[in-house]
């Protein structure tokens, strides 16, 4: 299902984009709904789509010690699958944990858009960088195992 | 002003001991002049003087016959009233088989202090402010102090380490004594400052002092004042010191300091203490003692397995910023009286006046927070638990239980306050109120050490000791009428639960309550069933997240600040937080981005605690005692110090 540029413009991912750039982004994007349990991609998969959450929840899990561990969940307005912007294979498995409406943008088309107009490219990369940096800080806090000691 | 012959000293000692008073005066003991019980003038250090320098103190013979030809020895009047070690209470089986707690409070004692200097009188006044004039009175100190006759001595010669003139405490005695003496080779001038002093003076054979006598006194005191080689600039010293928390000098002094704590034990105002539990072998009785302690020890600031002030640098900084700075806002006077003891008795010869001067190169001033209003009104606090019985035990997770306790003669509590829970012979710990269950008071406890583990193993009917409630709780009144954001991490939900229950029970006052709660794993979530019951209340929103989980968990995974980032917060919202300090720090940043200003955020601070009454100094946090000024603070009260290392 196509996504109206106005809906896209509401998202943080588009907050640095001009209306024209936003329309260009909407052209390559697709709105999709997923039931709980749907797997968007698996750890180790080849690069594919980048997702933005409109509604619902996506949980990232990683394989560890023979089991699977949930490491982060993402909700409204958050970015899922950023590693595809770097042509990397998937670092985690993304599963819809609460029925979700997502924006799906094929990574190849998105990168093409970035390269065509470096200003748009910069805006998109800067936003992705902001998200990834927030997540890095959060991950560090998780690593501190705050509540494990007492809190 | 009268004049007495030297021979009248004997009569003075005699009169001071009437009505069963113990006379405490200077006497030579173990190579120093000590304040100790004496009976006659012959016990006074006649013909002795003290020679002092940084790191040095020794006695020397004089040719004269003066009894007060010295300044101050290592022990001050402090140990007369605040004992280096004393029992607080005894726990024992009562006749009905239940555990009882018997306060050990000394009978009121009558004392006379002889030979006390102006600086030490100021120190007694400082300790009075700590132990009897604050929100809670220590009955042990009070009973020793209640009936004290003080015969002070004007300093007509200053010691080489004295700087009382800078501190405004000496060398002349102006108040705090019943009688003041000034000694010359053959006679003494004596002045009564109170009716009790007058009555005593009337029984000595004395003459009116002459104009020349008075001139001699003025000139001698003035020359003592002028001869002091040390000087402290006390102007705004509180603000100036707190502006220098990162000064390189702290590191330099720490390289010399041995962290031995001598300075704090000879200081006439230092009041920090710890407690020790003892029990006899068959466990039938147990006693708790209070002992002097030093902020230079590691144990003093221990919290969650590490010391808040882990380095000597941080400990020296704590000592100096408290003594000369924070003390002023806590007690209305400096904690330093200028006696110079800490300089003489420091094995490294560290001179606080020199350190202070080195730290005062800049005139920068920190904006010090206004003192938080104390939660308590004046009352006696003997630190003796009341017997309590476990009504029920609810297991919340693998290492957390909730106990409902029936307390003998309970006092009303407010959400956010805490109790001191104890098991005789094991120990005592501060534990927040987590709710009310009928007649019982609920506590949610995580097993982390010896006492909390023992508490978690109690079963219905078990007995324990409980004292409290203590501290300032959540600002329920300020929260009324505004949207309230509640952020909890881990066991931090416990101190918030009763506040949440009260808000949910009164939607009129609290129409919009949002709880953001983070725990380690889904299995560690507290009160899960109760929280589910809350979700259908109108105006309540619940967001939960965990740090890690198995893939079967369909809820949020990630830190609690991520939940906040995803939300919007209504205008004028207020926030209350409890959790690990790091979590609260990031939460405050996230709230700021959502427009919640510092004066609309309240949080609970945690520090090591022993007394909970503002008497042991353990829970110092800048200008506050967490136990009585907190544990709940409005964030702008603590913002300048919150999250800084070693505070
Ligand atoms: C105001 C306040 C409210 C608290 N509320 C709760 C609560 O509701 N539930 C809960 O489970 N815990 C609470 N705590 C923490 C609790 O007091 C400590 O976990 C407890 O003192 C540990 O005692 P222990 O003998 O079991 O452990 P220990 O064997 O003594 O030590 C375990 C760890 O706890 C630290 N600790 C020891 N004694 C104290 C102390 N008196 N104050 C602070 N830390 C200490 C030690 O540094 C050590 O790292 C609160 C603390 C404060 C200051
Ligand atoms: S300042 Fe001196 S007396 Fe005080 S702890 Fe350091 S070395 Fe010991
Ligand atoms: S002063 Fe003793 S615990 Fe606060």
């Amino acid at each position: 299902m196509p996504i109206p540029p106005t809906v896209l413009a509401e998202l943080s991912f588009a907050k640095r984009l001009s209306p024209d750039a936003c329309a260009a982004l909407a052209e390559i994007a697709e709105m999709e709904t997923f039931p709980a349990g749907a797997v968007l991609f698996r750890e180790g998969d080849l690069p594919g789509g980048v997702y933005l959450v409109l509604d619902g929840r996506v949980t990232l899990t990683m394989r560890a010690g023979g089991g699977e561990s949930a490491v982060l969940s993402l909700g409204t307005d958050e970015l899922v699958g950023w590693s595809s912007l770097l042509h990397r294979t998937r670092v985690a498995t993304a599963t819809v944990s609460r029925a979700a409406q997502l924006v799906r943008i094929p990574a190849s088309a998105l990168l093409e858009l970035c390269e065509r107009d470096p200003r748009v490219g910069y805006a998109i990369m800067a936003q992705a960088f902001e998200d990834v940096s927030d997540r890095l800080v959060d991950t560090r806090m998780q690593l501190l195992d705050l509540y494990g000691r007492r809190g | 002003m009268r004049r007495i012959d030297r021979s009248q000293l004997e009569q003075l000692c005699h009169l001071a001991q009437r009505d069963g008073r113990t006379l405490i005066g200077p006497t030579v003991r173990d190579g120093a002049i000590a304040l100790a019980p004496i009976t006659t003038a012959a016990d006074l250090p006649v013909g002795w003087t003290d020679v002092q320098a940084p790191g040095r103190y020794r006695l020397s013979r004089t040719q004269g016959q003066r009894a007060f030809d010295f300044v101050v020895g290592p022990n001050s009047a402090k140990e007369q009233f605040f004992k280096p070690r004393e029992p607080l209470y005894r726990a024992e089986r009562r006749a009905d088989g239940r555990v009882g707690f018997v306060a050990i409070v000394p009978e009121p004692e009558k004392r006379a202090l002889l030979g006390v200097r102006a600086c030490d009188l100021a120190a007694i006044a400082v300790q009075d402010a700590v132990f009897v004039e604050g929100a809670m009175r220590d009955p042990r100190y009070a009973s020793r102090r209640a009936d004290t006759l003080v015969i002070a001595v004007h300093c007509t010669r200053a010691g080489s380490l004295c700087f009382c003139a800078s501190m405004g405490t000496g060398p002349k005695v102006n108040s705090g004594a019943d009688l003041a003496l000034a000694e010359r080779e053959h006679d003494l001038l004596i002045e009564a400052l109170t009716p009790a002093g007058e009555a005593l003076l009337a029984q000595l054979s004395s003459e009116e002092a002459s104009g020349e006598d008075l001139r001699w006194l003025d000139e001698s005191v003035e020359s003592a004042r002028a001869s002091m080689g040390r000087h402290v600039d006390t102007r705004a010293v509180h603000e100036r010191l707190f502006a220098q928390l990162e000064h390189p000098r702290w590191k330099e002094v720490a390289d010399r300091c041995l962290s031995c704590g001598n300075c704090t034990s000879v200081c006439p105002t230092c009041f920090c203490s710890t407690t020790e539990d003892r029990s006899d072998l068959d466990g039938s009785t147990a006693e708790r003692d209070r002992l002097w302690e030093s902020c230079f020890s590691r144990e003093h600031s221990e919290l969650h397995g590490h010391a808040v002030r882990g380095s000597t640098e941080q400990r020296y900084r704590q000592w100096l910023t408290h003594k000369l700075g924070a003390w002023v806002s806590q007690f209305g006077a400096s904690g330093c009286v200028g006696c110079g003891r800490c300089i003489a008795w420091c094995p490294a010869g560290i001179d606080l006046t020199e350190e202070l001067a080195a730290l005062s190169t800049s005139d920068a001033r920190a904006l010090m927070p206004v003192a938080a209003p104390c939660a308590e009104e004046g009352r006696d606090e003997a630190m003796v638990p009341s017997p309590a019985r476990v009504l029920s035990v609810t297991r919340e997770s693998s290492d957390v239980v909730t106990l409902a306790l029936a307390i003998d003669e309970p006092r009303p509590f407010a959400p956010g306050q805490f109790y001191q829970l104890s098991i005789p012979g094991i120990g005592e710990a501060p534990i927040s109120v987590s709710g009310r269950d009928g007649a019982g008071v609920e506590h949610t406890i995580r097993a982390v050490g010896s006492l909390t583990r023992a508490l978690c193993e109690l079963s219905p009917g078990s007995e324990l000791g409980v004292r409290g409630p203590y501290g300032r709780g959540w600002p329920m009144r300020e929260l009324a009428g505004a949207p309230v954001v509640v952020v909890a991490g881990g066991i931090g939900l416990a101190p918030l639960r009763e506040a949440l229950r009260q808000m949910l029970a009164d939607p009129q006052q609290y129409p919009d309550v949002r709880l953001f709660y983070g725990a380690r794993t889904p299995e560690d979530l507290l009160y899960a069933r109760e929280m589910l019951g809350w979700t259908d209340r109108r105006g309540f929103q619940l967001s939960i997240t965990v740090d890690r989980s198995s893939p079967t968990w369909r809820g949020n995974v990630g830190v609690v600040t991520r939940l906040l980032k995803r939300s919007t917060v209504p205008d004028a919202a207020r926030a209350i937080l409890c959790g690990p300090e790091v979590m609260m720090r990031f939460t405050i940043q996230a709230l700021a981005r959502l427009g919640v200003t510092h004066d609309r955020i309240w949080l609970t601070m945690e520090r090591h605690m022993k007394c909970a009454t503002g008497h042991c100094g353990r829970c110092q946090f800048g200008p506050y005692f967490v136990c009585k000024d907190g544990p709940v603070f409005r964030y702008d009260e603590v913002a300048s110090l919150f999250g800084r290392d070693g505070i």
Side-chain angles (χ1 to χ4, degrees):
Chain A
M1 205 165 53
I3 177 165
T6 45
V7 174
L8 197 59
E10 299 272 298
L11 296 176
S12 303
F13 192 73
K15 79 170 184 238
R16 294 162 196 257
L17 299 180
S18 67
D20 283 353
C22 202
L25 185 63
E27 248 166 62
I28 57 169
E30 207 58 70
M31 204 152 57
E32 288 178 44
T33 49
F34 296 87
V39 175
L40 303 179
F41 50 78
R42 288 183 196 282
E43 195 174 337
D45 281 359
L46 292 174
V50 170
Y51 299 83
L52 305 172
V53 183
L54 291 172
D55 194 24
R57 183 180 299 140
V58 176
T59 298
L60 303 181
T61 57
M62 290 175 91
R63 282 194 301 264
E68 188 94 356
S69 203
V71 291
L72 183 66
S73 65
L74 297 155
T76 303
D77 201 29
E78 289 177 311
L79 169 68
V80 182
W82 57 268
S83 61
S84 289
L85 286 175
L86 305 172
H87 307 287
R88 299 245 169 110
T89 53
R90 303 291 191 178
V91 292
T93 299
T95 310
V96 173
S97 44
R98 212 179 63 199
Q101 187 167 39
L102 307 176
V103 178
R104 182 176 186 281
I105 314 169
S108 51
L110 183 57
L111 288 167
E112 220 177 274
L113 175 68
C114 292
E115 272 165 29
R116 210 165 45 227
D117 184 346
R119 265 184 319 172
V120 173
Y122 177 80
I124 285 173
M125 288 303 173
Q127 185 56 38
F129 186 41
E130 184 179 319
D131 281 2
V132 171
S133 131
D134 276 356
R135 264 196 237 175
L136 178 62
V137 172
D138 289 356
T139 304
R140 284 179 184 157
M141 262 209 285
Q142 269 170 290
L143 277 177
L144 289 176
D145 194 12
L146 301 171
Y147 316 126
R149 287 184 295 170
R150 205 201 89 69
Chain B
M1 182 81 67
R2 312 282 299 176
R3 186 175 59 229
I4 57 171
D5 192 72
R6 168 161 305 287
S7 62
Q8 287 292 298
L9 271 182
E10 188 56 54
Q11 177 68 0
L12 184 63
C13 289
H14 171 70
L15 291 172
Q17 293 174 79
R18 282 206 318 203
D19 315 323
R21 262 181 215 285
T22 308
L23 177 61
I24 309 291
T27 191
V28 174
R29 189 172 281 183
D30 302 328
I33 292 172
L35 273 181
I38 59 169
T39 52
T40 94
D43 294 332
L44 295 171
V46 176
W48 285 104
T49 191
D50 49 8
V51 182
Q52 304 193 31
R56 268 186 69 206
Y57 173 101
R58 69 183 169 81
L59 292 186
S60 148
R61 272 282 175 204
T62 67
Q63 301 305 314
Q65 48 176 335
R66 295 191 197 193
F68 302 105
D69 203 7
F70 60 94
V71 280
V72 288
N75 68 341
S76 60
K78 172 166 91 173
E79 64 187 51
Q80 298 302 322
F81 308 119
F82 170 37
K83 292 285 174 191
R85 177 173 200 129
E86 70 174 311
L88 297 178
Y89 62 80
R90 196 171 43 250
E92 55 189 24
R93 287 266 155 226
R94 299 189 309 201
D96 63 3
R98 292 193 53 194
V99 171
F101 298 91
V102 185
I104 305 176
V105 176
E107 289 298 313
E109 288 170 66
K110 291 177 161 190
R111 278 189 176 72
L113 290 182
L114 172 63
V116 186
R117 305 305 167 118
C119 56
D120 279 1
L121 291 178
I124 294 174
V126 164
Q127 288 234 317
D128 286 353
V130 174
F131 288 112
V132 292
E133 285 158 15
M136 284 174 263
R137 280 181 302 271
D138 170 20
R140 298 173 188 86
Y141 180 97
S143 112
R144 296 195 183 95
R145 184 69 185 93
D147 192 351
T148 311
L149 180 83
V150 180
I151 306 166
V153 174
H154 295 294
C155 288
T156 50
R157 172 181 77 77
S160 52
L161 303 178
C162 297
F163 55 101
C164 60
S166 291
M167 303 315 298
T169 57
K172 193 167 188 297
V173 173
N174 290 315
S175 62
D178 298 287
L179 283 166
L181 298 170
E183 188 183 35
R184 290 189 292 209
E185 201 54 30
H186 300 291
D187 58 5
L188 299 100
L189 301 185
I190 182 165
E191 184 182 11
L193 303 175
T194 65
E198 261 161 37
L200 203 150
L201 178 51
Q203 295 174 66
L204 293 175
S205 129
S206 67
E207 295 167 30
E208 187 64 32
S210 67
E212 199 174 319
D213 291 337
L214 297 181
R215 218 169 312 119
W216 168 81
L217 178 59
D218 282 348
E219 282 170 14
S220 315
V221 166
E222 269 327 298
S223 96
R225 186 191 305 276
S227 72
M228 286 181 206
R230 286 180 167 68
H231 178 74
V232 168
D233 180 2
T234 56
R235 284 168 310 155
V237 61
H238 188 188
E239 290 83 355
R240 282 193 290 121
L241 271 177
F242 275 90
Q244 299 302 342
L245 294 178
E246 309 303 331
H247 199 290
R249 185 74 183 196
W250 300 117
K251 169 91 182 59
E252 286 167 40
V253 65
D255 288 342
R256 286 172 280 138
C257 175
L258 311 173
S259 221
C260 64
N262 269 11
C263 48
T264 56
S265 73
V266 295
C267 178
T269 67
C270 275
F271 58 89
C272 284
S273 63
T274 185
T275 55
E276 220 172 79
D277 290 289
R278 289 182 287 125
S279 56
D280 52 13
L281 285 177
D282 67 0
S284 61
T285 62
E287 249 179 53
R288 166 164 273 228
D289 287 353
R290 171 169 75 182
L291 291 70
W292 285 5
E293 235 273 275
S294 171
C295 54
F296 280 91
S297 80
R298 182 200 140 83
E299 194 214 337
H300 190 269
S301 65
E302 229 183 43
L303 198 66
H304 310 315
H306 73 279
V308 172
R309 290 181 282 278
S311 67
T312 302
E313 187 180 339
Q314 291 169 337
R315 294 179 200 167
Y316 191 89
R317 183 180 72 179
Q318 167 68 16
W319 182 65
L320 202 70
T321 53
H322 183 224
K323 183 115 309 208
L324 280 125
W327 214 295
V328 179
S329 61
Q330 287 179 328
F331 303 110
S334 176
C336 176
V337 295
C339 68
R341 284 185 178 92
C342 60
I343 310 174
W345 295 92
C346 172
I350 295 170
D351 179 340
L352 94 162
T353 65
E354 227 174 75
E355 298 313 315
L356 207 58
L359 287 159
S360 301
T361 43
S362 130
D363 211 36
R365 292 180 186 195
L367 195 64
M368 289 313 292
V370 196
C374 178
E376 290 284 345
E377 311 267 310
R379 67 178 165 88
D380 269 339
E381 231 312 336
M383 287 180 272
V384 177
S386 301
R389 204 163 28 83
V390 177
L391 293 174
S392 66
V393 179
T394 311
R395 181 152 286 284
E396 307 284 356
S397 73
S398 64
D399 57 354
V400 179
V401 304
T402 297
L403 301 178
L405 304 177
I407 304 172
D408 284 12
E409 295 169 37
R411 289 192 291 128
F413 69 82
Q417 286 194 300
F418 67 95
Y419 285 81
Q420 288 280 12
L421 268 47
S422 56
I423 299 182
I426 300 184
E428 185 175 59
I431 304 288
S432 306
V433 171
S434 70
R436 192 192 312 266
D437 178 21
V441 179
E442 289 173 296
H443 293 278
T444 301
I445 303 155
R446 173 152 187 204
V448 295
S450 48
L451 178 73
T452 44
R453 223 169 284 137
L455 287 170
C456 287
E457 280 163 14
L458 295 180
S459 44
S462 302
E463 291 176 290
L464 69 161
V466 166
R467 58 189 181 93
Y470 295 109
R472 187 163 59 141
W474 298 111
M476 301 310 292
R477 217 167 307 142
E478 282 95 326
L479 299 179
V484 182
V485 175
V486 182
V487 187
I491 192 145
L493 184 59
L496 287 162
R497 182 173 68 162
E498 179 62 17
L500 280 160
R501 283 180 177 173
Q502 290 191 8
M503 290 193 285
L504 292 179
D506 190 356
Q508 212 95 46
Q509 293 276 353
Y510 307 100
D512 180 345
V513 178
R514 304 167 187 212
L515 170 62
F516 297 87
Y517 174 37
R520 190 166 183 250
T521 69
E523 293 72 41
D524 290 307
L525 289 168
L526 300 180
Y527 319 132
R529 191 168 316 151
E530 180 173 0
M531 282 194 292
L532 269 182
W534 292 344
T535 50
D536 46 56
R537 309 269 175 108
R538 203 159 39 85
F540 179 73
Q541 286 178 36
L542 174 66
S543 313
I544 290 178
T545 185
V546 297
D547 272 357
R548 68 204 66 186
S549 77
S550 70
T552 53
W553 165 254
R554 310 222 154 258
N556 293 303
V557 182
V559 289
V560 75
T561 43
R562 182 155 282 272
L563 292 184
L564 274 173
K565 266 182 228 151
R566 283 182 201 143
S567 23
T568 53
V569 158
D571 280 348
R574 273 138 224 242
I576 55 178
L577 338 174
C578 185
E581 253 181 59
V582 202
M583 179 215 104
M584 294 200 287
R585 226 163 58 214
F586 283 97
T587 301
I588 289 160
Q589 289 173 11
L591 285 169
R593 267 182 246 123
L594 294 168
V596 184
T597 50
H598 290 178
D599 58 341
R600 289 192 275 128
I601 300 174
W602 285 261
L603 46 73
T604 56
M605 288 295 306
E606 200 182 344
R607 280 294 176 272
H608 199 120
M609 290 185 180
K610 282 290 178 198
C611 69
T613 61
H615 296 146
C616 77
R618 275 308 182 84
C619 65
Q620 281 276 319
F621 176 68
Y624 302 118
F625 289 121
V626 172
C627 68
K628 71 181 179 67
D629 304 320
V632 173
F633 290 93
R634 201 172 74 185
Y635 183 61
D636 58 343
E637 293 167 344
V638 294
S640 61
L641 298 171
F642 186 74
R644 290 180 78 151
D645 269 354
I647 300 287

